[in-house]
Amino acid sequence: MGTKRVGLARTQALIENLKRELQLNQSVIVGQKVKVKSVGNATTTLTAKDSGCYCLFDNSAASTVILPAPQVGLEFTFVTTVTCVADHVIRTGTLNTDGFLGGVVSCSGGASADSFTADADGSNDFITLNGSTTGGLAGTRVHVVCIDGENWAVDGQIVTTGTSATPFGDAQL
């Protein structure tokens, strides 16, 4: 009988330790802070330390964001919180060396939808959100992640007006 009590006590202690560990891990996961960075109204050069940031275009004035040198796993999410009246530009840090792959879907004021892709060879270095046909209205979201040390995979939703057009180019549109 004594052996059964010791075994039961050990099992109960193990269960309690597992509960504490799960609660600790859950609080770390749930309590993680989202990194937010304002990138509106200037030229901002991101670094590898900024990876994981939500970069907010929180000003209507022109702005340019330059991505860091590509390293596998770096990622950034760009969100327009204020409709731009001048271009918001996201560009690669090393022009003509790395580029964008993938695409975005667009919604023009809820009336129509379209989709646009970057050149399949990764040659597009610029995403231009103009506050009209190429996106940049409040609610636009573009996500990029470096997939191979050279190219940035891009996905997102752009909110446009009028007839939507591609935001991807070899230069600022």
Side-chain angles (χ1 to χ4, degrees), residues 100-159:
F100 296 111
L101 297 170
V104 295
V105 295
S106 71
C107 180
S108 179
S112 64
D114 208 337
S115 60
F116 301 98
T117 59
D119 285 345
D121 62 3
S123 64
N124 292 147
D125 294 318
F126 289 82
I127 299 171
T128 304
L129 308 171
N130 66 4
S132 180
T133 58
T134 64
L137 275 70
T140 293
R141 183 192 62 80
V142 177
H143 175 253
V144 299
V145 60
C146 183
I147 55 172
D148 61 7
E150 183 177 330
N151 294 295
W152 296 89
V154 60
D155 67 275
Q157 300 84 36
I158 59 173
V159 183

Side-chain angles (χ1 to χ4, degrees), residues 2 6 29 35 54 60 69 76-77 91 105 107 109 112 116 134 169:
V6 170
I29 293 169
K35 296 190 291 186
Y54 277 80
S60 63
F76 303 92
T77 302
R91 77 171 188 82
V105 295
C107 180
S112 64
F116 301 98
T134 64

Side-chain angles (χ1 to χ4, degrees), residues 1-134:
M1 280 234 193
T3 307
K4 287 184 180 180
R5 284 189 184 172
V6 170
L8 180 60
R10 285 184 182 163
T11 301
Q12 288 173 333
L14 178 61
I15 290 171
E16 290 304 314
N17 285 339
L18 287 172
K19 283 181 184 178
R20 279 192 292 276
E21 189 174 326
L22 286 171
Q23 287 171 344
L24 176 63
N25 288 339
Q26 182 181 12
S27 67
V28 170
I29 293 169
V30 172
Q32 283 181 347
K33 293 190 177 191
V34 174
K35 296 190 291 186
V36 177
K37 183 176 186 88
S38 174
V39 295
N41 196 25
T43 296
T44 303
T45 302
L46 298 174
T47 68
K49 289 181 181 179
D50 295 318
S51 182
C53 275
Y54 277 80
C55 302
L56 304 182
F57 290 116
D58 55 0
N59 190 302
S60 63
S63 59
T64 299
V65 178
I66 302 169
L67 295 170
Q71 298 173 34
V72 174
L74 293 181
E75 70 176 309
F76 303 92
T77 302
F78 300 91
V79 179
T80 303
T81 62
V82 176
T83 298
C84 62
V85 296
D87 292 348
H88 289 322
V89 177
I90 304 165
R91 77 171 188 82
T92 60
T94 50
L95 300 177
N96 302 318
T97 302
D98 50 288
F100 296 111
L101 297 170
V104 295
V105 295
S106 71
C107 180
S108 179
S112 64
D114 208 337
S115 60
F116 301 98
T117 59
D119 285 345
D121 62 3
S123 64
N124 292 147
D125 294 318
F126 289 82
I127 299 171
T128 304
L129 308 171
N130 66 4
S132 180
T133 58
T134 64

